Amino acid sequence: SSSSRRLYEHVALVSLSLTAFMKEVLQKLFLKLFGMLTSLHCIVLSGNAATPNFVLLALIAGVVGAISSLSGIHHLSEWKTNTLGGSSAVAFVAWALTLLAMGFACKEIHIGGNRMDKLKTLESFVIILGGTELVYLLSIHGGFVTGEYSTTQSYTKASEAKGAGGA
């Protein structure tokens, strides 16, 4: 039980650090992309019809994903049912936004056209990030698989303590 908990903590930490690394790479790529181009209009001219939606969704998904990483670090340090709800909710929203951005990236690749190399790189990173965020989302739920914590566990311990204190 203790070794499986440590294994899930290590898997969660590795997937969290990989997700944080991908988010950092995406943020640096956005800074370079927006540093070179003066406005979103320039990005639209260099891409195709799906580019503006893709860039905006990828930016929003990156910000929500960074918040999800902070919430995941907090959950990893506490590892209780109290922190699981918030971190899994934010992680699910970040994953959903990343899947939307990934859909626009796939549509952009399918449409084709004259796209910048940095835009192609951003598309690749968003597609990879969709998979790593799924691993992260599954790893923060690792305690349910091993039975280390559940929603009834905290209530059972509280009722046992109440029964022992009242007797």
Side-chain angles (χ1 to χ4, degrees), residues 14-93:
V14 167
S15 66
L16 184 66
S17 61
L18 182 61
T19 303
F21 172 74
M22 292 295 291
K23 287 179 187 2
E24 184 177 322
V25 167
L26 279 174
Q27 287 175 349
K28 287 182 181 179
L29 189 62
F30 272 117
L31 289 176
K32 287 184 181 181
L33 186 66
F34 285 116
M36 290 178 60
L37 303 171
T38 57
S39 69
L40 187 60
H41 184 66
C42 294
I43 296 172
V44 172
L45 293 177
S46 66
N48 53 35
T51 304
N53 295 326
F54 165 67
V55 170
L56 288 176
L57 272 174
L59 183 62
I60 292 169
V63 170
V64 175
I67 293 168
S68 169
S69 296
L70 293 175
S71 176
I73 290 171
H74 176 67
H75 172 63
L76 192 60
S77 67
E78 295 291 323
W79 200 257
K80 295 180 181 175
T81 56
N82 300 342
T83 58
L84 175 67
S87 64
S88 64
V90 175
F92 185 74
V93 169

Side-chain angles (χ1 to χ4, degrees), residues 106-120:
C106 293
K107 184 68 175 176
E108 193 167 292
I109 292 169
H110 179 71
I111 291 173
N114 186 17
R115 300 184 327 267
M116 296 181 351
D117 289 338
K118 292 185 180 188
L119 199 56
K120 291 178 184 178

Side-chain angles (χ1 to χ4, degrees), residues 1-12 75-84 139-157:
S1 175
S2 177
S3 63
S4 64
R5 180 174 184 255
R6 281 191 225 125
L7 176 67
Y8 278 111
E9 285 179 351
H10 289 298
V11 169
H75 172 63
L76 192 60
S77 67
E78 295 291 323
W79 200 257
K80 295 180 181 175
T81 56
N82 300 342
T83 58
L84 175 67
S139 66
I140 63 173
H141 286 85
F144 281 118
V145 176
T146 60
E148 289 186 23
Y149 60 76
S150 65
T151 54
T152 58
Q153 183 179 15
S154 58
Y155 296 120
T156 307
K157 287 183 178 180

